[in-house]
Amino acid sequence: MADNKIDLEIVTPKGKALSVSVDEVTAPSVNGEFGVLPGHLPLVASIRTGLVTYRQGAETKKCAVGPGFAEAGQNKLLILAEDYADREGLDPVVIRKEFHEIDQKVEKVLAQLEPSPELENERRHLVGRQNWLAALLELYGDPPAATLRPFEEWGPPPEPIVEEEEGKPAGLDIYGAP
């Protein structure tokens, strides 16, 4: 085995944000977190806003990334993200203030009686910004409380995909329950 390190590179529209050699990386994908160790099989993943954790020797570090994409290979992980931040220079008071302001704007959008594509776009933008601010607060070590909204406001969950199997009537899950 030649090298037991991973070249981690995070690039944003502003340029290269981070380039380090690490022992392991954990990143937030849209389907959950994934880890990369040296010798990882090739992988392409969609990244959601969240924290990237990487280890250099005994020291573990974190940074926040916005949505984007990741490409992993044998000894590399390239993350193309909309945003990047490390813990230095974060002001949790300013972040919390903006978080609260956006939360109020989201509530106003949700209170509208007539949904429209413009309102939906505004809601998506506000929730995306709020997710970024929540990631920054988590990076700082003071995450906001979880926000739960009834599914009536966001729409019901999608119906599960049920495939008909031989010897089992359609409409039953993998355990045979309806």
Side-chain angles (χ1 to χ4, degrees):
M1 218 178 265
D3 190 14
N4 289 331
K5 297 285 186 179
I6 301 165
D7 294 327
L8 170 62
E9 194 170 302
I10 300 176
V11 180
T12 70
K14 297 177 184 175
K16 192 181 297 187
L18 180 71
S19 182
V20 292
S21 182
V22 301
D23 296 306
E24 66 180 282
V25 182
T26 303
S29 81
V30 295
N31 291 324
E33 291 189 337
F34 68 94
V36 177
L37 293 168
H40 199 286
L41 291 174
L43 164 84
V44 175
S46 294
I47 299 293
R48 66 173 167 75
T49 299
L51 299 185
V52 172
T53 304
Y54 56 97
R55 184 176 57 83
Q56 294 176 301
E59 186 178 6
T60 299
K61 297 180 180 182
K62 294 181 180 187
C63 61
V65 294
F69 297 94
E71 178 186 19
Q74 283 265 326
N75 295 314
K76 70 169 186 160
L77 177 62
L78 171 63
I79 296 176
L80 304 173
E82 286 183 19
D83 296 301
Y84 169 87
D86 56 18
R87 192 171 190 277
E88 292 180 31
L90 293 181
D91 185 345
V93 174
V94 172
I95 296 168
R96 279 211 177 271
K97 182 179 180 218
E98 184 180 353
F99 186 89
H100 180 68
E101 290 169 358
I102 288 180
D103 197 40
Q104 290 176 336
K105 289 178 183 178
V106 169
E107 292 303 322
K108 284 181 183 177
V109 168
L110 292 176
Q112 298 292 322
L113 296 177
E114 292 295 321
S116 69
E118 294 81 21
L119 284 175
E120 178 60 19
N121 287 338
E122 182 180 358
R123 182 196 63 81
R124 286 177 191 249
H125 171 74
L126 291 170
V127 170
R129 181 66 183 165
Q130 195 171 41
N131 287 342
W132 173 246
L133 296 169
L136 294 179
L137 289 169
E138 185 176 351
L139 177 61
Y140 188 78
D142 187 21
T147 302
L148 295 176
R149 293 186 171 92
F151 75 83
E152 289 87 11
E153 295 177 8
W154 302 97
E159 290 293 322
I161 298 172
V162 180
E163 296 180 13
E164 190 172 327
E165 292 182 28
E166 196 172 314
K168 208 169 69 167
L172 300 180
D173 68 11
I174 60 171
Y175 303 107

